[in-house]
Amino acid sequence: MGKVSLEGIEFHAYHGAYPEESILGNRFTLDLELETEFRQAMLHDDLSATVDYSKLYKLIKARMDVKVKLLEHLGHMIVTDILEAYPKTTQIRLTLKKHHPALGGLVSFSSVQIKYPEDYA
């Protein structure tokens, strides 16, 4: 098993429970770490034997383009998409941050962290 990660992925998206969030949007940052079997990729320099970073980014971007209310739900949907695209994935750690959330005061970000399979037991 090995780990593959993408860190600091940034998007402008329109997620939130309040109407103004779906109009104005906000900045989101996502950190992702996957544990998967990629021994064949190591031995044979074969992209099809591991996680394709470009495909993974596009998968996440497609999900970020679909408005939802909660970071928890958005993170769950990304985890579900990853497991469907890469069934050899055994663990996922996803951290999703919303920068400067509209909370009535100065807050750098709100965030959720989802761990698969721990949070799915």
Side-chain angles (χ1 to χ4, degrees):
M1 288 291 168
K3 291 186 181 179
V4 173
S5 64
L6 293 177
E7 299 179 26
I9 310 168
E10 289 195 21
F11 299 97
H12 186 86
Y14 298 87
H15 308 296
Y18 303 108
E20 62 273 12
E21 294 177 299
S22 66
I23 296 167
L24 300 172
N26 209 331
R27 184 172 143 223
F28 295 83
T29 304
L30 189 138
D31 294 327
L32 182 65
E33 182 179 278
L34 311 178
E35 189 166 310
T36 188
E37 175 57 54
F38 59 54
R39 189 169 197 281
Q40 293 303 312
M42 290 185 336
L43 296 174
H44 303 289
D45 197 24
D46 181 5
L47 180 58
S48 69
T50 189
V51 175
D52 180 335
Y53 306 141
S54 177
K55 182 178 174 184
L56 185 59
Y57 175 84
K58 288 175 186 172
L59 178 151
I60 296 165
K61 181 172 180 355
R63 186 54 68 185
M64 291 297 293
D65 288 342
V66 178
K67 292 181 187 180
V68 299
K69 294 178 185 172
L70 302 177
L71 293 179
E72 293 86 346
H73 182 68
L74 178 58
H76 164 69
M77 296 308 297
I78 292 169
V79 166
T80 301
D81 292 345
I82 291 167
L83 291 170
E84 184 176 313
Y86 296 102
K88 291 182 181 178
T89 301
T90 58
Q91 292 186 21
I92 299 173
R93 180 182 306 257
L94 177 147
T95 302
L96 181 58
K97 297 177 183 177
K98 178 190 274 189
H99 294 259
H100 307 291
L103 300 177
L106 184 59
V107 177
S108 294
F109 59 83
S110 57
S111 70
V112 298
Q113 185 177 81
I114 297 175
K115 297 175 187 175
Y116 172 87
E118 294 91 336
D119 292 336
Y120 291 80

